[in-house]
C-alpha cells in the first residue's frame, strides 16, 4: 500500500553501530510519546514481520553465511524492509501512529554500501524501490566510537556472536564513518547524538529534537 499523501503518523528511524543504545532509546522515546497520548509502535529491521524474520534468519544465522555475497545481503535486507513497510509501517502511519523503527534504509546505505563497498547508486536505487515514498520524518543516529561499541557487545549476555557481529574492527570503523557522513550530508532529517553520554542525557537530546522538529 503506497502512501498517496502525507499521513497523519510519523516515522522515526534509529541508526547506529551495534551497542550504540538504539533499543534503550527507542523504549524511552516511545514512553515519552505515550505520555503525551500518542499511539506508538516499534518495529525492528530486518525482522518485524513473519517474512522478515525468516529473511533475518538466513542473513544472520545461516551457518554458511560467511560466504554470502554483499549483493545478496543487500537484496535480502531490502526485501525484508519492503515487507515491513507495506505490512506494518504504512497502515500504522495512515492510522496516525508514531512508528519507531530500529534500523531502516540508512543501515543498507552504510553496512552494504559503505562498509561492504557496494556502489552507492544501485544501493540508493534498491533502497528507494524497497521503501517507496516512505521516508523517515526523523532519523536518530547514535554515535559511539568503535571500541565502545565492541566493549558493549562483549558484555551482552548472548550465546555465539552472530555473523554480523563477528566482523572485524575495520568494518565497524567504516560503519561509524558512514553514519557520520550521512549525518553531515542529511541535516534535514538526521539528528546525530553522542551515545557515550549517560542514557538520560541522550534521551533528553533526542526528545528535545523530536519535539522541536515535529512541533509536539
Ligand atoms: P541485529 O541483531 O538487529 O543488530 P542490532 O541490535 O545492532 O540492530 O542485527 C542486525 C545486523 O544487520 C546489524 O549488524 C546490522 C546489519 N544490517 C545491515 O547490514 N543492513 C541492513 O540493511 C540492516 C537493516 C541491518
Amino acid at each position: 500500500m503506497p502512501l498517496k499523501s502525507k499521513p497523519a503518523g510519523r516515522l522515526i528511524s534509529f541508526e547506529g553501530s551495534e551497542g550504540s543504545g538504539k533499543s534503550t532509546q527507542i523504549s524511552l522515546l516511545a514512553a515519552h510519546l505515550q505520555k503525551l497520548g500518542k499511539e506508538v509502535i516499534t518495529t525492528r529491521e530486518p525482522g518485524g514481520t513473519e517474512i522478515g524474520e525468516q529473511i533475518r534468519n538466513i542473513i544472520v544465522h545461516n551457518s554458511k553465511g560467511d560466504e554470502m555475497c554483499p549483493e545478496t545481503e543487500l537484496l535480502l535486507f531490502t526485501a525484508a524492509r519492503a515487507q515491513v513497510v507495506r505490512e506494518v509501517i504504512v497502515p500504522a502511519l495512515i492510522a496516525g501512529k508514531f512508528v519507531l523503527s530500529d534500523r531502516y534504509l540508512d543501515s543498507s546505505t552504510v553496512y552494504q554500501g559503505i562498509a561492504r563497498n557496494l556502489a552507492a547508486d544501485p544501493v540508493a536505487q534498491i533502497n528507494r524501490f524497497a521503501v517507496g515514498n516512505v521516508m523517515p520524518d526523523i532519523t536518530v543516529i547514535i554515535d559511539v566510537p568503535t571500541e565502545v561499541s565492541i566493549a558493549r557487545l562483549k558484555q551482552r549476555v548472548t550465546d555465539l556472536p552472530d555473523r554480523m557481529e563477528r566482523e572485524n574492527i575495520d568494518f565497524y570503523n567504516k560503519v561509524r564513518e558512514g553514519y557520520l557522513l550521512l549525518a553531515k550530508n542529511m541535516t534535514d532529517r538526521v539528528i546525530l547524538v553522542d551515545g557515550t553520554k549517560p542514557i538520560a542525557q541522550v534521551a533528553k537530546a533526542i526528545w528535545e529534537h523530536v519535539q522541536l522538529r515535529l512541533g509536539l
Side-chain angles (χ1 to χ4, degrees):
M1 178 173 15
L3 282 172
K4 293 208 178 75
S5 55
K6 184 84 188 142
R10 292 287 176 263
L11 172 61
I12 303 176
S13 61
F14 282 73
E15 298 280 355
S17 313
E18 284 78 354
S20 57
K22 291 189 290 356
S23 49
T24 306
Q25 293 302 331
I26 288 173
S27 311
L28 292 171
L29 180 60
H32 224 131
L33 288 165
Q34 280 158 345
K35 259 195 242 151
L36 291 185
K38 310 287 182 197
E39 268 197 87
V40 182
I41 67 155
T42 61
T43 62
R44 102 178 161 153
E45 286 233 342
T49 63
E50 200 182 323
I51 291 169
E53 290 295 345
Q54 285 173 8
I55 296 173
R56 176 190 167 85
N57 265 339
I58 301 175
I59 304 168
V60 179
H61 296 297
N62 175 20
S63 60
K64 294 254 190 312
D66 287 336
E67 288 144 41
M68 186 182 290
C69 56
E71 289 81 357
T72 308
E73 198 178 81
L74 171 70
L75 291 166
L76 287 175
F77 276 119
T78 49
R81 184 167 307 128
Q83 188 69 27
V84 79
V85 165
R86 287 153 188 84
E87 195 179 315
V88 179
I89 297 178
V90 168
L93 292 176
I94 289 172
K97 296 179 186 168
F98 277 75
V99 180
L100 308 186
S101 178
D102 190 340
R103 301 193 178 281
Y104 199 55
L105 79 169
D106 300 312
S107 281
S108 297
T109 307
V110 168
Y111 281 79
Q112 281 66 54
I114 297 172
R116 293 225 193 276
N117 274 320
L118 290 179
D121 280 355
V123 174
Q125 228 174 341
I126 291 165
N127 251 338
R128 262 199 306 276
F129 180 68
V131 303
N133 58 357
V134 186
M135 287 298 286
D137 294 283
I138 297 176
T139 297
V140 178
I141 295 181
I142 307 180
D143 177 55
V144 288
T146 302
E147 309 79 62
V148 174
S149 169
I150 289 176
R152 287 183 184 173
L153 267 189
K154 283 191 181 148
Q155 280 173 359
R156 276 191 199 165
V157 193
T158 49
D159 33 17
L160 278 176
D162 69 31
R163 198 175 70 81
M164 306 298 295
E165 290 171 2
R166 287 198 306 265
E167 294 295 342
N168 59 32
I169 191 137
D170 285 350
F171 181 84
Y172 286 117
N173 280 333
K174 282 193 203 158
V175 167
R176 183 183 187 210
E177 290 309 314
Y179 277 127
L180 291 176
L181 189 70
L182 283 193
K184 210 170 106 192
N185 292 341
M186 295 187 183
T187 46
D188 53 327
R189 83 171 156 90
V190 172
I191 157 188
L192 181 69
V193 293
D194 179 353
T196 63
K197 295 275 189 293
I199 290 173
Q201 204 173 319
V202 178
K204 185 165 176 274
I206 294 172
W207 176 245
E208 284 172 356
H209 183 88
V210 168
Q211 225 179 355
L212 189 74
R213 188 75 67 98
L214 301 183
L216 298 174

